[in-house]
Amino acid sequence: ARRYVPESEVQSIVIDVSDREVEVCASDREEIVISYYESEKEYYDISVSEGGELSMRLSLDRDWTDYVGTKPAQEYRKIKVEIPDRLLSGLTVKTTNESIHVSPLSGVASVSLESNGGNVEFEKLFVSESLTVTAKNGNILGSVVGGWDDFSISCEIKKGESNLPENKTGGDKTLAASCNNGDIQIDFVEE
């Protein structure tokens, strides 16, 4: 299924799902496009609040017997979100057991990405305020647009390696990375 939402209504986006791979990319359309698969047992609640928050949550209508040893096929476990490159106040993506991929975006003030059981990957992400990235049992790998001095950094890592300092002050923007049982590699790049 595909859902089209006029971007004029939307200030921020929240994708909160489980067992789904989420891909976010820029769009040249003037609307937000969400592509996904649904079944009778698993469907999405997609709505826009009065405050302009577009939310997409996974609803499960399943008996516990449906859970035993089954997972939907890979193509059914993918959500693609295409966002016009204009200013959104926030983008939040949360998932479990799958990865998050964000290709170059430049119009979001604050981005929060969280995966429990998968990797979080992003490329040439430009934020005007903050980037928060969290992974458990997965790696964080990405690049942000800007210089080292633009960011105040806080980094927490357990059972892994990181190329970021635990604490660095002095930037106008904040970068917070937290990883448990995985590695963090975040690079600073020019646009």
Side-chain angles (χ1 to χ4, degrees):
R2 298 190 95 169
R3 182 78 176 263
Y4 299 88
V5 182
E7 50 100 15
S8 56
E9 298 172 19
V10 176
Q11 300 298 317
S12 61
I13 298 174
V14 175
I15 310 286
D16 190 352
V17 293
S18 52
D19 295 319
R20 295 293 182 276
E21 178 184 348
V22 184
E23 182 184 326
V24 183
C25 59
S27 164
D28 48 13
R29 305 169 69 110
E30 291 201 356
E31 55 195 355
I32 296 161
V33 182
I34 304 177
S35 310
Y36 55 94
Y37 295 91
E38 286 184 312
S39 70
E40 292 168 10
K41 302 273 189 190
E42 300 178 315
Y43 53 91
Y44 295 101
D45 177 15
I46 300 175
S47 61
V48 181
S49 72
E50 279 183 25
E53 180 181 279
L54 169 62
S55 72
M56 177 178 192
R57 290 176 170 42
L58 180 62
S59 299
L60 300 175
D61 182 14
R62 305 198 291 195
D63 298 318
W64 68 269
T65 51
D66 293 336
Y67 281 95
V68 181
T70 60
K71 231 181 174 183
Q74 182 65 41
E75 67 264 26
Y76 296 114
R77 299 203 308 265
K78 187 164 185 177
I79 297 167
K80 185 175 183 183
V81 184
E82 298 169 71
I83 303 174
D85 236 358
R86 69 173 259 287
L87 203 62
L88 282 174
S89 63
L91 167 67
T92 299
V93 180
K94 289 183 180 179
T95 192
T96 60
N97 301 321
E98 293 284 349
S99 295
I100 296 171
H101 307 274
V102 182
S103 53
L105 283 182
S106 61
V108 187
S110 294
V111 175
S112 175
L113 308 172
E114 181 180 334
S115 179
N116 185 342
N119 295 330
V120 178
E121 299 172 355
F122 49 94
E123 185 188 352
K124 289 190 176 173
L125 191 53
F126 177 88
V127 292
S128 55
E129 291 174 20
S130 67
L131 172 60
T132 304
V133 199
T134 307
K136 191 172 178 186
N137 298 324
N139 300 314
I140 294 171
L141 179 65
S143 57
V144 290
V145 174
W148 177 257
D149 295 335
D150 296 334
F151 290 89
S152 292
I153 298 171
S154 62
C155 177
E156 196 182 336
I157 190 152
K158 293 178 188 155
K159 298 186 200 155
E161 294 181 7
S162 168
N163 73 328
L164 295 179
E166 270 183 42
N167 216 324
K168 173 198 164 296
T169 57
D172 293 338
K173 308 175 187 187
T174 58
L175 168 59
S178 174
C179 192
N180 186 342
N181 206 18
D183 297 333
I184 297 174
Q185 170 83 36
I186 298 177
D187 296 316
F188 299 86
V189 297
E190 304 285 318
E191 275 189 70

